[in-house]
Amino acid sequence: MSLDNRPYYTGGCQCGAVRFRVEGRLGDASVCHCRMCQKASGNFYMPLVSVRGAHVTWTRGEPKRFQSSNAARRGFCGDCGTPLTYEAPDGMALAIAAFDEPQGIVPTVQWGIERKLPYTDHISELPGVATMEDPDAVEFLTDLVSYQHPDHDTETWPPEERR
């Protein structure tokens, strides 16, 4: 909890150049299938949560922004490209997976379903394999060193040994 006993959340981009803190309650969480969200996220859809009414602070860096329409702009890390915001006249939403603990932010509605890719409803029916259960990937993954920012705030980033 924050000093005023309101919840707080942290998150940021993949490389750690942009970090945020949200104090207060999150608004509606959703999944948007519109073509702009597909392109902005480079994915099937974009999960977002409204931060309208909460206080957002950029604690390290700040997103670069792209005006994606006459009504909205998208914020992203200028270094690694991680999608971070959807900003419109009625408020801002943050990308759910950019939060350090995204598992508790559960979407309750889907938007833009007219552009929904037809196979997304069946993804959960595909066979599932844990990362280290893939025999072709084990050798590659054993020596893999992640340079991704951890899912918590850090005093400095990147670590001294990587500078």
Side-chain angles (χ1 to χ4, degrees), residues 71-141:
R73 62 187 187 158
R74 312 292 180 133
F76 59 95
C77 175
D79 291 345
C80 68
T82 300
L84 295 167
T85 72
Y86 170 83
E87 302 169 38
D90 65 344
M92 181 169 67
L94 292 170
I96 293 173
F99 282 78
D100 291 336
E101 297 181 11
Q103 62 275 16
I105 306 170
V106 181
T108 59
V109 66
Q110 298 180 75
W111 298 105
I113 60 169
E114 68 280 357
R115 293 304 298 257
K116 185 180 198 178
L117 297 172
Y119 47 81
T120 58
D121 286 336
H122 305 286
I123 290 173
S124 64
E125 299 166 11
L126 296 173
V129 179
T131 305
M132 293 306 283
E133 289 178 5
D134 179 356
D136 295 331
V138 171
E139 184 178 342
F140 167 76
L141 293 171

